[in-house]
Amino acid sequence: MKHLIDPTDLTKQEIDEIISLAQDIIAHRERYQGSMSHKKLATLFYEPSTRTRLSFTSAMMELGGNVLGFSDARSSSVSKGESVQDTVRVVGCFADVIAMRHHIEGAQLYATEVSTVPIINAGDGSHSHPTQTLTDLLTIQRELGHIDGITIGFCGDLRFGRTVHSLIKALSRYKDIKVILIAPDELKLPDYIKQDVCERTGIPYREVATMEEVMGELDVLYMTRVQKERFLDEDEFDRVKDSFVLDAARMSLAKKKMAVLHPLPRVNEILTEVDADPRAAYFRQVENGKFVREALIVKLLEWKDDPEHGMPADETPVEDPELRCPNKKCICNNEHAPHRFRRTENGVLRCWYCDSKVR
Ligand code: CP
């Protein structure tokens, strides 16, 4: 069965198929209307969302299918203590595909172990957000006409920003990508992405302290919100926050052909004066999210029983009863998921579910 939990669950060919189907849906919307009639999508959202949940709903409606689910887990039997695995077993009796957002990292991967229908990770804590990644890839393709060869600057909260982690993983499948990381020390990209993704796959990256010094190099500027709540020291936040605000003056330093992306919501990191700039792609990006989710639903249901499109070859997990994942927000510290680990190529032991470094 094909699920989408992490961008690396898709081969480059599968990503290309989804992006190309999304483009065909945009060009010929009428051809796809009704193609999912009698199919049902369940949206299980344990965490707030505007774009992801509503774009999944809108996508399924455009395809002629139906949608059920919850936008607040407190209104479901989760409030009575029902586990993630039991919830997906039950919902699999009612729906053909499940899109799930959870604040607990690894919850969706754990759910796949018992699910009878494809599961789509619609965001798990700070870990991963693969359908935002598909949205971002489609947007870059449509804005610039290509993904290979781009220089992309990631700006803001690169530590907790799950969209950043997922997009870098996906870009590692493309040619000649250069990454520039623009973040305060407190919010730098986690080592596991730098080492296990950038260094392992040979993506050159460099870290800089200001936007100004790199604006002119970028084909894509990927903005994220600097999250005040992550700072222990408010003075420190006040010191760095304005270095990461995109305004018209900073846009004047950028190439004529470039694209500003943001997964949204924004707070104040892109001033509204930038919105009218033709390079501001973030609201077009939102609409692309609907088309790419239409394509994903179609493809996952098409691939469901096709052995050519399974999950990546199984690694054997390391099981050691003495070891514990250190991440309090990991599924294995919140439900009865086993403490399982994977050994990376550089010998580091990481949690099977959330990728936290264990040893
Ligand atoms: N981009 C994104 O995930 O937005 P929501 O949190 O509104 O779904």
Side-chain angles (χ1 to χ4, degrees), residues 33 39 55 61 79 87 145 160 171 183 186 251 278 345:
Q33 286 162 0
K39 295 289 183 192
S55 64
M61 286 174 166
S79 62
T87 302
F160 299 105
L171 286 172
E186 298 80 353
M251 282 300 285
E345 281 169 19

Side-chain angles (χ1 to χ4, degrees), residues 45 48-53 101 122 129 132 162-163 263-265:
F45 276 62
S49 166
T50 298
R51 275 146 294 274
T52 310
R53 189 175 66 82
R101 171 170 289 190
H129 195 349
Q132 181 65 47
R162 60 193 174 193
T163 62
L264 303 179

Side-chain angles (χ1 to χ4, degrees), residues 50-102:
T50 298
R51 275 146 294 274
T52 310
R53 189 175 66 82
L54 295 181
S55 64
F56 265 117
T57 302
S58 177
M60 197 56 168
M61 286 174 166
E62 293 252 337
L63 296 169
N66 290 298
V67 183
L68 62 160
F70 52 77
S71 57
D72 180 349
R74 287 171 303 184
S75 68
S76 75
S77 286
V78 172
S79 62
K80 301 173 201 162
E82 189 157 43
S83 69
V84 166
Q85 285 201 338
D86 282 359
T87 302
V88 300
R89 274 181 205 257
V90 168
V91 175
C93 302
F94 308 139
D96 301 285
V97 55
I98 295 173
M100 183 197 289
R101 171 170 289 190
H102 210 299

